[in-house]
Amino acid sequence: MGRPKRMSDAVFETVRSCAVEVLQVAPEEVTMEADFTDHLGATSLTLVELVMAIEEACSVDLPDDGVESVRTVRDACELVRARI
């Protein structure tokens, strides 16, 4: 039972690390519920940079239609999990 949680944690840590680097926010600000635009100050340009960083870090190719629906850190993690 513990394995999926660890994988989830790894995905979250990777997404958080990318968000911290691209959006220049403190790690504690990046929670599962954090909205990239409202809470973390992302713009359309930094969201594109963030998606590219997440794709590279997770070795995944995220579909454009899925990326457009990403609002929160949880959304991003779920999208990545669906592709790995």
Side-chain angles (χ1 to χ4, degrees):
M1 259 194 310
R3 291 197 79 93
K5 182 163 178 25
R6 274 186 233 134
M7 177 181 272
S8 298
D9 289 350
V11 169
F12 171 70
E13 291 301 326
T14 302
V15 170
R16 177 164 63 179
S17 174
C18 291
V20 166
E21 183 178 324
V22 173
L23 303 177
Q24 299 293 295
V25 294
E28 57 271 11
E29 291 182 62
V30 185
T31 64
M32 288 296 267
E33 290 72 35
D35 183 291
F36 287 114
T37 304
D38 294 343
H39 300 133
L40 302 177
T43 64
S44 55
L45 180 60
T46 56
L47 280 174
V48 170
E49 291 176 28
L50 179 59
V51 167
M52 290 171 47
I54 291 169
E55 286 179 324
E56 185 174 331
C58 295
S59 299
V60 296
D61 186 24
L62 301 177
D64 289 340
D65 58 338
V67 170
E68 290 171 7
S69 67
V70 170
R71 306 290 315 150
T72 66
V73 173
R74 182 181 311 280
D75 294 340
C77 290
E78 288 174 1
L79 187 61
V80 169
R81 282 189 208 104
R83 306 298 287 187
I84 56 176

